[in-house]
Amino acid sequence: RHQAIEGHFAFWDADKVQALKSVRLLTAKLETIKAELRLSDHDFPGFFEQEHIYLDSLKQPAPQDRLSIRYVEVLDELAKRRAEWDLARESSNNALTGVHVSSFEQMHDALKQAHIQVDSSYAKLQHAEGLVAHCEALLSVDERWVISGKEYNRFKEEATLGEYCAALDELECLVVTRLFELSKLSLSGTGLSFPLLVSACTMTDLFKNCSGYKLHQQISKALQRHSDTIRNAINRYNIQAASLIPLRQKIAWKDIADYSFLGEFELLRDSHTDIQDKDWARPAHCEATTKYFKLC
């Protein structure tokens, strides 16, 4: 029993000594990086906060732009509903064409059906008119935009670009999630995903000697799910990229697999906000920020 107690505390002391060495080594590395990048301890919380604000902003697009795009969409909807109403009225005028004059039942059914179509199309037209008026009030539009007019064409293009940006934002969020999960497994930048790891070795072989075995299991399962989700998001992104003029760069799974930092995601310069030149997105600053918070 005494031997077990002595062994326990000997291991405890050795573990603490090793931890202190790791802290001193990490502190020295951080000080070197801070000197090279001309950073101070006050910069790192700022980097963290700026990244948090940016990621939080991806939840919703810019309100004014989204409203203008919605206005273009409801103008298209209004034109469509007006055309349907005109067609329904024309059809009602010709409802008795081809109906035998002696068949009062068929005449009644034809007129009833025409009346239903006219009422239904008119109700949809009124609803579309209401949506257009509501958008015009929110945007303070004095004169309704003309389809194919200057303002209309501008935000029609924005609508197409908005669909592209939405696909890009979705892909970015998934990449961020993947980077966080890979960082927990120390696999970021390796080009590996869990499905590829499974083909090389089993989960037990990979993590049986790790103290966080259950945690690794959960992370690995999440990685597998996200890999499939990212592939679907890549397909949606590539479809939107091909619809723009000029065409935007397409992306493949192998490109995503090699990312280590969000700053390496070059497509982000085409998103709503270009983060390529942001201090918090630079790989060296990311590494320094990670080391700083490890010491906190």
Side-chain angles (χ1 to χ4, degrees), residues 224-242:
Q224 187 171 7
R225 290 193 300 269
H226 278 104
S227 295
D228 296 335
T229 305
I230 290 176
R231 284 187 172 89
N232 293 332
I234 289 173
N235 292 334
R236 288 191 291 272
Y237 163 81
N238 286 335
I239 291 173
Q240 296 300 330

Side-chain angles (χ1 to χ4, degrees), residues 46-221:
F47 292 159
F48 177 82
E49 182 64 22
Q50 291 166 25
E51 183 175 7
H52 176 76
I53 292 172
Y54 170 72
L55 294 176
D56 192 58
S57 70
L58 296 180
K59 295 179 181 178
Q60 295 292 336
Q64 189 72 12
D65 290 346
R66 184 57 195 159
L67 185 56
S68 298
I69 291 171
R70 179 58 181 160
Y71 181 47
V72 168
E73 293 173 348
V74 296
L75 284 176
D76 289 339
E77 181 73 10
L78 177 61
K80 177 183 176 182
R81 297 308 180 189
R82 184 172 286 120
E84 290 178 352
W85 186 51
D86 292 339
L87 181 61
R89 288 189 300 164
E90 182 180 352
S91 297
S92 67
N93 293 332
N94 300 320
L96 298 179
T97 302
V99 177
H100 198 278
V101 293
S102 61
S103 178
F104 293 104
E105 185 177 352
Q106 290 184 10
M107 292 173 63
H108 176 269
D109 291 342
L111 290 173
K112 181 179 179 180
Q113 186 64 30
H115 180 70
I116 292 174
Q117 290 179 351
V118 170
D119 286 349
S120 176
S121 61
Y122 183 70
K124 293 177 181 178
L125 176 62
Q126 290 294 95
H127 179 68
E129 285 278 10
L131 287 176
V132 170
H134 180 65
C135 289
E136 288 173 343
L138 293 175
L139 289 169
S140 301
V141 174
D142 297 325
E143 184 177 352
R144 180 164 295 178
W145 295 356
V146 178
I147 292 181
S148 298
K150 181 179 178 180
E151 297 91 348
Y152 174 90
N153 287 338
R154 174 191 169 191
F155 283 100
K156 187 69 173 178
E157 293 176 0
E158 286 291 331
T160 303
L161 182 60
E163 293 176 356
Y164 166 81
C165 288
L168 180 55
D169 288 346
E170 178 193 14
L171 184 57
E172 179 187 358
C173 288
L174 292 172
V175 169
V176 170
T177 302
R178 182 178 182 276
L179 290 177
F180 284 155
E181 290 169 343
L182 286 177
S183 67
K184 295 176 183 177
L185 292 174
S186 301
L187 293 175
S188 58
T190 63
L192 295 175
S193 63
F194 184 68
L196 296 179
L197 289 173
V198 171
S199 63
C201 59
T202 65
M203 267 287 292
T204 304
D205 292 334
L206 184 62
F207 296 126
K208 64 182 179 181
N209 294 322
C210 298
S211 59
Y213 173 68
K214 291 184 178 179
L215 176 61
H216 281 82
Q217 275 189 319
Q218 294 173 358
I219 295 173
S220 299
K221 290 178 181 178

